[in-house]
Amino acid sequence: MSATIIIGGAWGDEGKGKVASYEASDARLVIRATGGANAGHTIVFNNRGERHKIALHLIPGGIVYPQVRGLIGQGVVIDPKLLIEEVEKLEEIGIPFVRSRLRIAGRAHVVLPYHKELDELKERLKDNPIGTTKRGIGPAYEDKKARTGIRVYDLLLPVEELEKKIEVATRPHYQLFKDNGMEDRIVSPKVLAEQYSQYGKVIKNMVINADILTEEVCKNGDKIVVEGAQAYRLDNDYGDYPDVTSSNCVTAGALIGAHISHKCVDKVIVVAKAHCSRVGNGVFPTEQLAHIENDKVTEYDQPFVGDVIREICGEYGATTGRPRRCGWGDAILLKSACSQAVTGADYICLSHMDSIGKVGNILGSIKLCTAYRYQGKKIYFYPDDMELTGEVPEPVYTEFAGGWDIPNTLRDFDMLPEKAKQYIKIIEDIVGIPVKYIGVGPNNNDVIVRDDV
Ligand code: GDP
Ligand code: IMO
Ligand code: MG
């Protein structure tokens, strides 16, 4: 058993990229399994004495370690133009042999320009838009399910055959464009085929039947890290439907997307922040008021709690730059995310323990949701019938006076401020899973790893 699976425990942006990269430093293979360029995974690392901070959208962050191989698995929907730009960016900052270490699953699907147009159009046609990242992710997965999707393998076909496939795929979409006065967005299948064939030529040597690679690594018992994208509450089945993404971001989805079975799994780490954030629309029980309107920060004299959390924790989208909605940490949400039935979590990684301490220093206290009041009762799970009841659970908070300071050089759990340890202990008691990893700063190795759990 060799695979470490990293899963987001809330609404995304929990610090998965950082933890996945930390775990990757002694791995043989790192895999992006689901989603596409809707994900933005920030990693901060040193390369040849220089500090780099980059947000990756498609390539697993562990690729920055020269001994590691990377795979973009079949569950990912790939924008090849962005992928090539990302490869070039890594090469520019001196990451060696990216093209010979990175592999792309031939069965992965491709995001084409019409998917992005459709993403915009479908949001526009909704009464309650989701607030998608507009990266064409939903429409690309729709085509995959409709069996008209274009796969990475198709980019390697003779150009006339690719054109035929694109022509079939775009027929209903282009009709929709015409019905909505978007004729000017129609790009002929011939032009698209020529352009995407060119991308095919650039990535050709990286495209593989990934089952063979993962089988070999699993059989050897070498370490694999699966870098999950999005999160439990954005999962198409488990999440806050319809305010979700189009893929399954929990463990089961990550396994299919990464070409591995449950037999390869060594451990599942669910990542959560000490506070919470969400981008896009949808319920958020512990959200605090903030000056955000239409994805922009508005002017303010007095900041609300949500503003303080956002500014101290740097909560701006790594993909879209949108200010993130912010609120207090939620141990009940995390308990549901760590359910053995849902993610099969072995460990929690709690990121931003440094930042929440700073928030407490400024605001005079830190709150943690330790129960919900819902339908006249106190409950200890995340309810899934809110649309039916028309009620959002009201958080019941445990309050910690003041804040704390944690230097990002700290690696010894025992040296954490007592109050921070208490905060962690309450989470462990509620969730029933150990907090093994504690984030104390943004660098890949700003992590306390506890050997005692
Ligand atoms: P992901 O999508 O889950 O990979 O997370 P993002 O990269 O979108 O957002 C996480 C943000 O928090 C990034 O800016 C990270 O650099 C930062 N970050 C992650 N862990 C920590 C931590 O423990 N402390 C601090 N201060 N920043 C962190
Ligand atoms: P990482 O991997 C935060 C959100 C969008 C929107 C909803 C659907 O960085 O944690 P989509 O474009 O997927 O159709 O949008 O999901 N969303 C994310 N929010 N982090 C992400 O990825 C996200 N990927 C999608 O904001 O609400
Ligand atoms: Mg992110």
Side-chain angles (χ1 to χ4, degrees), residues 12-14 16 38-42 318-319 324:
D13 306 325
E14 298 88 352
K16 298 176 295 292
N38 48 352
H41 295 179
T42 316
T319 295
R324 294 173 180 154

Side-chain angles (χ1 to χ4, degrees), residues 250-272:
V250 297
T251 311
L255 297 187
I256 293 183
H259 307 247
I260 60 173
S261 82
H262 62 289
K263 289 199 172 171
C264 306
V265 178
D266 175 32
K267 59 179 188 275
V268 176
I269 303 173
V270 167
V271 190

Side-chain angles (χ1 to χ4, degrees), residues 237-258:
D237 282 275
Y238 286 106
D240 303 315
Y241 198 90
D243 295 313
V244 294
T245 192
S246 314
S247 60
N248 284 112
C249 347
V250 297
T251 311
L255 297 187
I256 293 183

Side-chain angles (χ1 to χ4, degrees), residues 267-312:
K267 59 179 188 275
V268 176
I269 303 173
V270 167
V271 190
K273 285 189 277 215
H275 58 284
C276 281
S277 74
R278 180 165 195 166
V279 265
N281 301 325
V283 290
F284 181 176
T286 61
E287 181 174 17
Q288 297 299 302
L289 270 183
H291 293 80
I292 302 176
E293 250 171 57
N294 299 325
D295 288 337
K296 301 241 163 26
V297 177
T298 58
E299 294 276 315
Y300 52 83
D301 298 325
Q302 285 296 318
F304 291 122
V305 169
D307 294 311
V308 175
I309 300 177
R310 186 185 64 246
E311 296 309 320
I312 296 299

Side-chain angles (χ1 to χ4, degrees), residues 114 143 148-150 164-174:
Y114 49 84
D143 277 3
T148 53
I150 304 299
K164 248 183 249 159
K165 288 197 175 210
I166 294 178
E167 201 276 317
V168 172
T170 51
R171 253 179 236 160
H173 304 327
Y174 285 178

Side-chain angles (χ1 to χ4, degrees), residues 146-421:
R147 287 142 296 163
T148 53
I150 304 299
R151 303 193 303 170
V152 169
Y153 276 143
D154 295 328
L155 305 186
L156 312 184
L157 287 170
V159 67
E160 313 75 47
E161 284 180 45
L162 175 60
E163 181 185 337
K164 248 183 249 159
K165 288 197 175 210
I166 294 178
E167 201 276 317
V168 172
T170 51
R171 253 179 236 160
H173 304 327
Y174 285 178
Q175 186 56 49
L176 198 64
F177 287 5
K178 284 179 193 156
D179 295 346
N180 286 280
M182 291 168 62
E183 287 88 348
D184 59 327
R185 311 296 168 89
I186 292 175
V187 182
S188 82
K190 187 173 169 44
V191 168
L192 285 175
E194 278 161 9
Q195 186 185 356
Y196 280 73
S197 271
Q198 287 305 318
Y199 295 141
K201 288 197 176 91
V202 178
I203 63 173
K204 186 168 184 270
N205 292 338
M206 293 186 263
V207 178
I208 58 162
N209 172 357
D211 307 352
I212 294 170
L213 172 62
T214 52
E215 168 81 347
E216 180 198 313
V217 180
C218 283
K219 267 196 172 153
N220 267 343
D222 294 335
K223 183 170 175 182
I224 295 176
V225 176
V226 178
E227 182 176 316
Q230 288 79 51
Y232 162 58
R233 292 295 337 147
L234 292 174
D235 182 277
N236 195 261
D237 282 275
Y238 286 106
D240 303 315
Y241 198 90
D243 295 313
V244 294
T245 192
S246 314
S247 60
N248 284 112
C249 347
V250 297
T251 311
L255 297 187
I256 293 183
H259 307 247
I260 60 173
S261 82
H262 62 289
K263 289 199 172 171
C264 306
V265 178
D266 175 32
K267 59 179 188 275
V268 176
I269 303 173
V270 167
V271 190
K273 285 189 277 215
H275 58 284
C276 281
S277 74
R278 180 165 195 166
V279 265
N281 301 325
V283 290
F284 181 176
T286 61
E287 181 174 17
Q288 297 299 302
L289 270 183
H291 293 80
I292 302 176
E293 250 171 57
N294 299 325
D295 288 337
K296 301 241 163 26
V297 177
T298 58
E299 294 276 315
Y300 52 83
D301 298 325
Q302 285 296 318
F304 291 122
V305 169
D307 294 311
V308 175
I309 300 177
R310 186 185 64 246
E311 296 309 320
I312 296 299
C313 304
E315 292 293 1
Y316 289 86
T319 295
T320 56
R322 288 184 286 180
R324 294 173 180 154
R325 299 158 61 194
C326 289
W328 295 115
D330 189 338
I332 302 305
L333 164 67
L334 184 54
K335 181 179 178 217
S336 295
C338 289
S339 146
Q340 293 309 285
V342 176
T343 53
D346 294 293
Y347 301 113
I348 295 165
C349 169
L350 195 61
S351 65
H352 280 275
M353 275 302 283
D354 55 321
S355 333
I356 199 72
K358 288 186 193 136
V359 170
N361 288 335
I362 291 171
L363 294 177
S365 71
I366 297 167
K367 291 185 186 174
L368 173 68
C369 171
T370 47
Y372 291 142
R373 222 169 263 121
Y374 184 67
Q375 293 286 288
K377 289 195 208 109
K378 231 177 176 186
I379 61 164
Y380 297 89
F381 58 89
Y382 193 97
D384 78 342
D385 60 351
M386 287 178 230
E387 269 202 321
L388 206 63
T389 62
E391 193 179 329
V392 175
E394 182 197 339
V396 178
Y397 290 110
T398 299
E399 194 161 355
F400 298 73
W404 54 69
D405 292 303
I406 305 176
N408 68 355
T409 47
L410 188 75
R411 298 290 176 268
D412 183 352
F413 179 77
D414 292 332
M415 299 294 283
L416 276 175
E418 277 312 311
K419 228 181 298 169
K421 281 194 226 165

